[in-house]
Amino acid sequence: MSELTATEKEKAKKYYPLPKLAEKARIKSMDAYFKKWKYSVEHMEEFWADEAKKLDFFTPYEKVWQPPTGRNDEFVGKWFVGGKLNATYNCLDRWVEKGYGDEVALIWMGEDDTVKKFTYKSLMEEVNKAANALKSLGVKKGDRVCLWLPMVDSLAIIMLACARIGAIHSIVFGGFSAESVKDRIDDSACKILVVADEVRRAGKPRPMKNSLKGVIETCDSIEYVAIIKLTGGEVYQYEKDVDFLALMEQQSTECKSEPMDAEDPLFILYTSGTTGKPKGVVHTTAGYLVYGISSNYYVWDYSCLLDLKGDTPATRDVWYCTADIGWITGHTEIIYSPLALGAISVMYEGIPTWPHGGRFWEICEKFGVTHFYTAPTAIRALKKLGDENVTKWDLSKLKMLGTVGEVCNWPEWKWYWDVVGKGTSGDKPVGRPIVDSYWQTETGSYMMVNLGAITPMKPGSCTFPFFGIHPILLDEDGNKVTKPNTQAYFTYDLSWPGLMRTVWNDHPRFVNTYLTRFPGYYVTGDYALIDDEGYYFILGRSDDVIKVSGHRLGSAEVEAAINSHPKVVESAVIPYPHSVKGSTIFAYITLMNDDEASEELKKDIQNHVRSVAGPAVYPEVIMFAGAVPKTRSGKIMRRILKAVAEQKDIGNTMTLANPEVVEELIARRKMMGEIKF
Ligand code: WTA
């Protein structure tokens, strides 16, 4: 038997969670899961009413669900209509009021090993000080506050402070540029920008505030720039600057939480789409929270204060999600869901590979992490560094592992299973479960996911829908696809509370992006298939979204950054396979003057893009092209560009307006030789 066949066989096997996990699980068997899932989609209002009991409302809701109006411009309808509640109250105060104020809520660790352990009470007090400080700057319910910060404790504190007073936070990932911050501030007219003086990154200070020079001055809606002094480095002064940490110190530790309507926005998070600028995904207060905590509760089974009835917790699990709060995963999985359940959440400031390649595992040992959640790109990077970086740490407390953001492919899956999870091999391999959670910024929390303790896993599969989720596969013409192993558009036909409600300031864009292609369905933008046992596999995007190291980028934004270089006429970017990042950006660029093509110009364009769009956006491979293939309506044919880049069969070029360019592209690509990452 050839080696490949042996691997293929192993890969096709089912992998089982350690049996003892099921004993304490909230859902104890697959039969119980299927039964509850069936109930959840057939009696969705009753199901979600039950789940909403996990939250504390100030005023009870009158109606679980109000269906959409019938026009095809909404999908979700309204959830928990008339209810009043506050997200921060649910994350903090209620645990203090129930006598758990001294229990640990958040463990924050800095790059330099500083550890801050916040209890529910001490975190609440910090949040209250920040809330009062925001109020003193004139922030009121409904105002927008932009946070552009590295992974420091202030980020967690200020986002919860916003939620406390009903201000809508819009968090921008630290790896984006000042220009991207400006676009997002302008789009939602933020009153305040919170920013750090500098970022600590791999032992060195990197500029943050300074990059805003000349940019922030053009943001008309900004009334104050709240500075978080992290390094105390020299930064330029702007007349609207306020030293926010100093201001916080003058504030009271008490602040009433604002009763918010269930459907009031909790936050805006900008994400990339197919066209144009990023869109402001709007999540609501009750629906987002109910969905987040319900999914975390059943998937992971970690112990939480929610289950206690005044008794002292015997032991508490420790949850560690390695995402950045600048992305949806950080919002839902570091802050809102774990705290609203009363868990212990670990937050780390730095990168996984500094000061050494075992940093994640060191953190797991140090804090006794029981549940560890990361991205496939991080697993690939750590796998490359060698097993000894993992094995030298005591990971015996770990109960469950998880991934999010892209498909967890076999090589990284198997390494995670063997080396981190210490799973067995053989006919019926058993080990620490790997939760493969499929979801999106838009969906608030997991859509497709295995219940860690009980679901038999298939590597690369996000398995089955979460409760209340009704996935549908559709073909080009909108017909349902039920045949196994057939690629199809991945959609949903049933509302659930955690789905985004709109695009900030642009409801038509929400409708056009998600609801128009197949009326009556929410369209994810992914392709998927179902196998003959009903397991779902995600096959990648059906649109122009690119994932680089799990970071979601839109081709249109990257192209806009490239096109702003003075020597560029036009560009087209596509994802190109990368062994750590998953994909990297391959850019086809047409110059004003093709004779100027040179390696120096490539570097210059790369630097330009970095400065315009931020370090997260990097066109790693550049190929100069006389023109790019387009359809007669002017749409770039990315399918062909992908095939050319990967030197694969280009297929049919009949629909092109300019088929002649393809030959030239193939020739130019050939000249670049092998490109392997
Ligand atoms: C992809 C991240 C396969 C998918 C929470 C989706 C995945 C996009 C998985 C959303 C997974 C996320 N398996 N693909 N487990 N999880 N994706 O908005 O293409 O940053 O549409 O949200 O990531 O990315 P976003």
Side-chain angles (χ1 to χ4, degrees):
M1 193 191 301
S2 76
E3 211 192 353
L4 186 72
T5 323
T7 311
E8 289 299 326
K9 262 184 143 177
E10 242 197 304
K11 203 171 138 181
K13 251 185 230 162
K14 276 194 215 155
Y15 289 73
Y16 294 84
L18 292 165
K20 66 171 190 254
L21 290 170
E23 289 162 24
K24 288 194 185 156
R26 289 167 180 135
I27 307 288
K28 293 193 189 327
S29 68
M30 286 309 279
D31 279 350
Y33 156 74
F34 285 119
K35 214 167 138 199
K36 197 170 173 91
W37 178 77
K38 192 162 180 287
Y39 172 80
S40 73
V41 293
E42 286 174 1
H43 304 271
M44 88 176 186
E45 293 183 44
E46 287 94 328
F47 174 79
W48 288 115
D50 254 351
E51 292 308 302
K53 290 182 190 146
K54 295 186 169 69
L55 280 186
D56 284 338
F57 285 83
F58 297 142
T59 308
Y61 58 83
E62 289 146 19
K63 208 169 168 18
V64 183
W65 184 56
Q66 187 176 310
T69 52
R71 285 168 294 132
N72 189 37
D73 63 353
E74 44 172 278
F75 175 86
V76 198
K78 291 187 169 58
W79 284 90
F80 312 112
V81 182
K84 302 266 186 237
L85 76 167
N86 182 280
T88 303
Y89 177 88
N90 275 282
C91 287
L92 303 173
D93 307 45
R94 61 170 174 163
W95 307 127
V96 179
E97 287 172 12
K98 288 178 177 141
Y100 297 118
D102 293 334
E103 290 294 330
V104 175
L106 184 73
I107 303 176
W108 177 84
M109 184 164 126
E111 245 205 14
D112 62 0
D113 287 355
T114 312
V115 174
K116 293 189 196 171
K117 271 194 186 171
F118 295 93
T119 62
Y120 276 95
K121 183 156 182 284
S122 71
L123 187 57
M124 184 179 80
E125 290 176 350
E126 287 304 302
V127 167
N128 286 349
K129 287 199 278 183
N132 287 325
L134 288 171
K135 275 188 179 170
S136 77
L137 298 177
V139 179
K140 294 187 299 295
K141 179 174 173 174
D143 287 344
R144 274 80 60 206
V145 174
C146 180
L147 309 182
W148 189 41
L149 288 171
M151 284 285 284
V152 287
D153 51 331
S154 297
L155 174 53
I157 290 166
I158 301 170
M159 69 192 279
L160 287 164
C162 289
R164 185 162 200 92
I165 61 175
I168 303 168
H169 57 73
S170 161
I171 301 180
V172 182
F173 175 55
F176 284 145
S177 66
E179 286 292 340
S180 328
V181 176
K182 177 188 160 52
D183 284 348
R184 289 156 171 82
I185 289 177
D186 289 349
D187 186 70
S188 46
C190 296
K191 258 188 161 172
I192 308 265
L193 168 67
V194 188
V195 62
D197 54 354
E198 293 181 309
V199 182
R200 296 179 285 247
R201 196 79 172 166
K204 289 194 210 79
R206 301 265 173 92
M208 191 156 210
K209 168 82 189 317
N210 275 352
S211 62
L212 284 164
K213 201 170 177 177
V215 176
I216 191 66
E217 288 81 353
T218 66
C219 298
D220 297 336
S221 60
I222 288 293
E223 292 176 10
Y224 291 101
V225 178
I227 311 293
I228 305 295
K229 283 192 184 161
L230 291 181
T231 65
E234 277 283 306
V235 289
Y236 97 100
Q237 306 287 309
Y238 174 46
E239 59 193 15
K240 294 179 181 171
D241 285 355
V242 186
D243 180 340
F244 196 75
L245 296 179
L247 185 65
M248 266 176 73
E249 285 321 303
Q250 299 162 16
Q251 309 299 320
S252 148
T253 54
E254 281 175 28
C255 174
K256 219 176 131 303
S257 55
E258 188 72 37
M260 303 299 288
D261 192 85
E263 285 282 319
D264 274 340
L266 174 60
F267 63 82
I268 305 171
L269 182 58
Y270 285 84
T271 192
S272 299
T274 304
T275 52
K277 291 193 167 172
K279 38 186 185 291
V281 167
V282 176
H283 279 291
T284 56
T285 307
Y288 168 80
L289 280 180
V290 169
Y291 191 62
I293 63 179
S294 172
S295 49
N296 269 264
Y297 186 82
Y298 294 112
V299 167
W300 298 98
D301 283 317
Y302 54 65
S303 61
C304 44
L305 301 176
L306 182 77
D307 284 338
L308 302 176
K309 306 269 173 294
D311 40 331
T312 319
T315 51
R316 294 186 67 204
D317 287 329
V318 180
W319 165 255
Y320 175 25
C321 163
T322 71
D324 191 292
I325 291 182
W327 304 95
I328 190 68
T329 309
H331 281 60
T332 307
E333 303 298 334
I334 300 177
I335 302 298
Y336 286 115
S337 299
L339 297 182
L341 283 169
I344 298 177
S345 182
V346 174
M347 171 177 178
Y348 176 55
E349 180 184 29
I351 55 172
T353 49
W354 192 88
H356 57 79
R359 195 60 160 168
F360 280 175
W361 320 117
E362 179 190 1
I363 294 171
C364 287
E365 178 184 300
K366 192 175 173 110
F367 303 121
V369 170
T370 53
H371 293 73
F372 178 78
Y373 188 46
T374 195
T377 183
I379 303 171
R380 289 191 293 267
L382 298 173
K383 175 174 177 275
K384 274 206 163 166
L385 298 178
D387 297 0
E388 59 286 359
N389 280 298
V390 185
T391 48
K392 74 185 214 205
W393 304 100
D394 177 5
L395 301 181
S396 56
K397 293 244 167 67
L398 279 179
K399 294 181 188 169
M400 290 191 195
L401 307 170
T403 72
V404 56
E406 40 178 333
V407 176
C408 192
N409 286 309
W410 170 249
E412 63 259 25
W413 195 97
K414 180 76 164 74
W415 181 82
Y416 207 22
W417 172 264
D418 284 344
V419 181
V420 184
K422 303 219 178 327
T424 65
S425 55
D427 282 347
K428 194 180 174 187
V430 176
R432 293 186 174 99
I434 298 174
V435 170
D436 183 335
S437 58
Y438 164 83
W439 54 299
Q440 308 180 296
T441 306
E442 293 87 338
T443 66
S445 188
Y446 332 131
M447 313 298 295
M448 310 296 299
V449 65
N450 42 316
L451 301 184
I454 56 163
T455 312
M457 293 155 272
K458 288 192 181 182
S461 167
C462 51
T463 72
F464 303 113
F466 182 66
F467 300 132
I469 298 302
H470 200 243
I472 303 281
L473 297 174
L474 295 177
D475 69 13
E476 280 298 329
D477 304 320
N479 303 313
K480 289 188 185 166
V481 174
T482 48
K483 204 169 139 227
N485 303 315
T486 310
Q487 171 169 314
Y489 291 99
F490 197 31
T491 74
Y492 301 98
D493 71 349
L494 196 65
S495 173
W496 73 95
L499 184 61
M500 70 185 285
R501 297 299 192 269
T502 188
V503 170
W504 182 264
N505 231 352
D506 198 352
H507 193 69
R509 196 163 171 205
F510 172 66
V511 178
N512 288 336
T513 310
Y514 305 102
L515 308 178
T516 306
R517 175 79 169 85
F518 300 114
Y521 299 88
Y522 165 78
V523 179
T524 60
D526 286 303
Y527 288 123
L529 64 74
I530 188 167
D531 76 2
D532 37 22
E533 289 185 294
Y535 279 73
Y536 282 81
F537 287 80
I538 305 296
L539 304 173
R541 301 288 306 188
S542 60
D543 60 12
D544 299 333
V545 166
I546 304 180
K547 281 275 179 133
V548 179
S549 300
H551 295 164
R552 178 167 164 179
L553 306 171
S555 45
E557 294 153 73
V558 184
E559 286 158 7
I562 298 174
N563 297 351
S564 68
H565 187 283
K567 296 197 166 163
V568 172
V569 179
E570 196 187 25
S571 62
V573 300
I574 48 147
Y576 186 82
H578 189 289
S579 63
V580 173
K581 298 177 187 172
S583 313
T584 189
I585 297 172
F586 189 118
Y588 291 85
I589 298 180
T590 307
L591 295 171
M592 301 272 182
N593 179 356
D594 204 31
D595 297 339
E596 287 193 63
S598 67
E599 287 307 308
E600 289 72 53
L601 184 56
K602 281 187 187 173
K603 286 214 176 69
D604 194 58
I605 294 172
Q606 284 167 333
N607 289 336
H608 171 81
V609 172
R610 224 178 243 270
S611 73
V612 177
V617 186
Y618 180 62
E620 192 156 8
V621 189
I622 290 180
M623 177 172 140
F624 293 118
V628 292
K630 288 189 183 163
T631 60
R632 285 185 192 95
S633 58
K635 206 169 169 281
I636 295 170
M637 283 287 273
R638 289 174 211 276
R639 173 181 64 78
I640 293 181
L641 292 176
K642 280 183 199 159
V644 172
E646 293 180 38
Q647 303 192 284
K648 288 188 178 151
D649 177 23
I650 53 161
N652 187 346
T653 56
M654 297 254 289
T655 52
L656 288 181
N658 53 352
E660 68 287 351
V661 307
V662 178
E663 287 306 310
E664 185 219 320
L665 291 179
I666 293 172
R668 288 201 186 195
R669 175 63 189 86
K670 214 169 169 187
M671 276 162 60
M672 291 172 82
E674 195 190 16
I675 305 173
K676 206 160 185 268
F677 295 104

